[in-house]
Amino acid sequence: RDDQNKLKTSLPRPSKQDDRTLAEVAQADWKVLKKTLSQVVSLQAKRLERAMIEQRRWQRSEFETYLLGHPVLLNLAQRLIWGHYESSQRCRCFRITEDGTYGDEQDEQIWLEGESPIGIVHPAELSTSQRQQWGQLLSDYEIVPPFSQLSRTVFSLLPEEEGQTHIQRFRGATPPALIASAIFKNTGWEALSYGYGKPYPQAKLLAIVSYAHWGETMPLEDLFFVPQFHSISDPSQRPPIPLQEISAVVLSEAIRNVGAIASKT
């Protein structure tokens, strides 16, 4: 900021009264800081997006110390919608305002009570009207999220999949094997003997997508979910969980990943 408290994107030009050597050192330090900070912001934005997908939770004291008390993470946190998870069925949504208080979708200040865990809200946890309200509020303040949150597409079960244990909509897709395996790896899936598995620790679930014998292509089969144990070894011995019992967040993200791979057919 300058002496008028206006934000500046670069250092002021050295004046005649400035030490030329010190000014050059300051300019060099500033360039390194900007480059490093850009990398840090990108890395932390991806970390926070992963926290939303995996439904990571922070205790309130941890949230206020390690996120709100951090100059970089605070900047990112203020551009997201958070939830105070008072129970598994109840979430109170809020954002972090410019003055450090908490506000709801009506832009009214709220107070959080107790030590209930706090996490980044996934759009699958919100109704259409809630997403619209929050989206309008962020738009009014010209707030741009560090990653796709409210605008993230939510995937859900098709009518014929309700009451089932396997999602079969991807059968017949034959994406290139190298591309499919690369996407699986980059989105946190681990290779199994007959498919790929991705753990969702918070939900205590393991998503599995099976495939037929593959060569140049990877013929996809079914997507299903089993209980997660300490190891994902031999999950075939665990009975699949009915799809209606899977959380909306896990369903949406698993379908998103497999759908992206199937689209490479």
Side-chain angles (χ1 to χ4, degrees):
R1 296 179 181 273
D2 62 13
D3 53 4
Q4 303 298 319
N5 204 37
K6 292 183 179 180
L7 285 172
K8 308 292 288 185
T9 59
S10 61
L11 293 181
R13 293 180 178 276
S15 67
K16 294 181 179 180
Q17 288 73 34
D18 288 317
D19 183 299
R20 185 177 183 84
T21 301
L22 292 179
E24 290 176 352
V25 171
Q27 292 283 2
D29 286 346
W30 177 250
K31 289 180 180 179
V32 172
L33 175 62
K34 287 182 69 175
K35 181 178 179 180
T36 304
L37 186 60
S38 177
Q39 296 170 342
V40 169
V41 167
S42 176
L43 178 65
Q44 294 302 324
K46 292 178 181 178
R47 174 186 169 216
L48 291 174
E49 182 178 23
R50 188 167 66 249
M52 178 189 73
I53 293 170
E54 297 177 356
Q55 299 175 277
R56 178 182 174 180
R57 303 287 182 256
W58 289 267
Q59 293 301 313
R60 183 176 172 184
S61 56
E62 295 174 333
F63 173 74
E64 294 178 344
T65 299
Y66 300 117
L67 283 97
L68 304 194
H70 192 286
V72 176
L73 292 178
L74 171 62
N75 181 277
L76 296 175
Q78 287 179 316
R79 293 150 57 191
L80 294 168
I81 306 304
W82 294 82
H84 189 224
Y85 292 84
E86 299 168 343
S87 70
S88 59
Q89 304 297 324
R90 186 181 178 191
C91 165
R92 191 178 191 187
C93 298
F94 66 94
R95 76 178 185 97
I96 305 160
T97 64
E98 294 69 22
D99 59 4
T101 60
Y102 303 140
D104 62 14
E105 63 268 36
Q106 305 296 333
D107 206 19
E108 298 290 338
Q109 184 175 350
I110 64 171
W111 288 264
L112 304 182
E113 299 178 359
E115 279 291 324
S116 297
I118 291 172
I120 302 170
V121 173
H122 190 284
E125 300 175 276
L126 303 174
S127 66
T128 301
S129 62
Q130 285 178 310
R131 291 198 293 269
Q132 291 174 343
Q133 279 186 301
W134 278 114
Q136 185 60 55
L137 182 62
L138 296 187
S139 177
D140 291 343
Y141 281 102
E142 299 182 345
I143 295 174
V144 179
F147 58 83
S148 176
Q149 184 185 20
L150 297 175
S151 60
R152 193 180 192 86
T153 303
V154 174
F155 297 89
S156 56
L157 296 176
L158 301 175
E160 61 269 23
E161 293 168 342
E162 296 181 5
Q164 304 298 316
T165 56
H166 291 66
I167 294 175
Q168 300 180 338
R169 70 176 81 173
F170 304 113
R171 283 193 170 193
T174 54
L178 290 178
I179 293 177
S181 58
I183 297 177
F184 273 129
K185 181 179 179 180
N186 291 336
T187 52
W189 294 71
E190 302 177 39
L192 305 173
S193 59
Y194 57 92
Y196 278 85
K198 180 174 182 177
Y200 289 88
Q202 187 70 24
K204 298 180 180 179
L205 292 172
L206 176 67
I208 298 176
V209 58
S210 58
Y211 53 72
H213 179 74
W214 56 276
E216 292 186 358
T217 62
M218 183 184 291
L220 300 180
E221 293 184 329
D222 296 348
L223 171 63
F224 58 99
F225 304 85
V226 298
Q228 182 198 1
F229 298 145
H230 294 297
S231 170
I232 70 170
S233 60
D234 198 20
S236 62
Q237 302 301 316
R238 310 171 203 170
I241 300 172
L243 295 174
Q244 66 267 23
E245 297 180 16
I246 307 302
S247 79
V249 174
V250 173
L251 265 179
S252 181
E253 290 301 325
I255 293 173
R256 167 189 294 277
N257 289 164
V258 181
I261 293 169
S263 70
K264 303 300 181 181
T265 298

